[in-house]
Amino acid sequence: MYADDETIRRILTETGDTWAVVGLSGNRARAAYGVAGVLQRFGKRVVPVHPRAETVLGEQGYASLDAIPFDVDVVDVFVNSDLAGQVADEAVAKGAKAVWFQLGVVDEAAYARTRAAGLDMVMDRCPAIEIPALG
């Protein structure tokens, strides 16, 4: 409902390889850590975004999207739904090309705003599930 197969394919194969993962910390038990590892295995550069700004999976972390000193292509969101809309707005301001809300992260108003701003968006899906399915 929140993403068609073509949008998913475009984000994963054409949008770019620099993914800011909001909510990614060094906690290996968290889903964000596992998904970031899958993204790396499929050739994506993962940029951790977390208040602690720690280095994760060999990549320098940043406390916020606007603190990242280079362009990002996709913003992958691992925060609660009530915080996700603000992250989507920050992704638009940052100049990202796409926003991806993880499984269970849903904000229909943010989805509408992000799409209206011209970005591709996927909501309530997981790239670690989708990317291997591309074949």
Side-chain angles (χ1 to χ4, degrees), residues 9-127:
R9 178 176 294 282
R10 184 170 50 251
I11 292 172
L12 292 173
T13 63
E14 299 172 21
T15 298
D17 291 332
T18 302
W19 286 54
V21 182
V22 179
L24 175 58
S25 71
N27 184 344
R28 293 171 183 257
R30 303 286 302 199
Y33 192 94
V35 170
V38 171
L39 289 169
Q40 280 188 329
R41 284 193 296 280
F42 279 89
K44 307 300 182 188
R45 178 183 183 191
V46 171
V47 182
V49 180
H50 190 278
R52 288 193 299 265
E54 59 192 312
T55 297
V56 181
L57 295 167
E59 290 286 347
Q60 169 64 50
Y62 298 90
S64 63
L65 285 174
D66 65 352
I68 300 171
F70 48 84
D71 292 338
V72 297
D73 301 308
V74 181
V75 176
D76 190 5
V77 181
F78 278 93
V79 300
N80 292 330
S81 295
D82 58 342
L83 303 173
Q86 177 181 339
V87 176
D89 295 340
E90 292 169 4
V92 171
K94 177 71 177 163
K97 299 171 190 165
V99 175
W100 192 300
F101 281 9
Q102 283 295 166
L103 288 171
V105 180
V106 176
D107 181 332
E108 293 182 4
Y111 183 86
R113 286 193 311 273
T114 303
R115 297 287 294 137
L119 282 71
D120 277 334
M121 184 160 180
V122 173
M123 189 162 63
D124 196 25
R125 303 285 284 269
C126 180

